[in-house]
Amino acid sequence: MALELRPNCEYCDTDLPPEATDARICSYECTFCADCVDMRLSNVCPNCGGGFTPRPIRPATEWRPGLSVAKRPPSKQRRTLGYDIADIEALSRKLRDMPPERR
């Protein structure tokens, strides 16, 4: 099963197309831009409390049969956070000094 490749930052709603090098994901594929991860979230996913990693780029060219953006397109469903800013900030403060692998 391929990554969903969500189309936007769940915090600021910035577009994150499949080739975006500033897209970050957690292990649940929650998707945010690098700026929000670094400046607003302190590398703490507001949904699960995990950390982030750069989202892989899905190839635009079909180098292998059936494997490309054209054959496995990204999601079109935009996502937004289900938590208010104060709750997100509280979780980030609580977990930001703990390495993701220990959360």
Side-chain angles (χ1 to χ4, degrees), residues 15-72:
D15 289 338
L16 294 170
E19 69 278 3
T21 58
D22 64 334
R24 302 291 181 264
I25 60 172
C26 75
S27 65
Y28 292 98
E29 296 184 53
C30 301
T31 305
F32 298 87
C33 68
D35 185 55
C36 285
V37 166
D38 295 339
M39 306 304 285
R40 294 178 178 94
L41 302 172
S42 301
N43 194 35
V44 175
C45 178
N47 298 314
C48 71
F52 292 98
T53 190
R55 184 181 71 186
I57 302 297
R58 183 159 302 158
T61 301
E62 188 177 358
W63 301 107
R64 300 284 189 188
L67 301 175
S68 69
V69 168
K71 298 293 181 171
R72 294 184 184 216

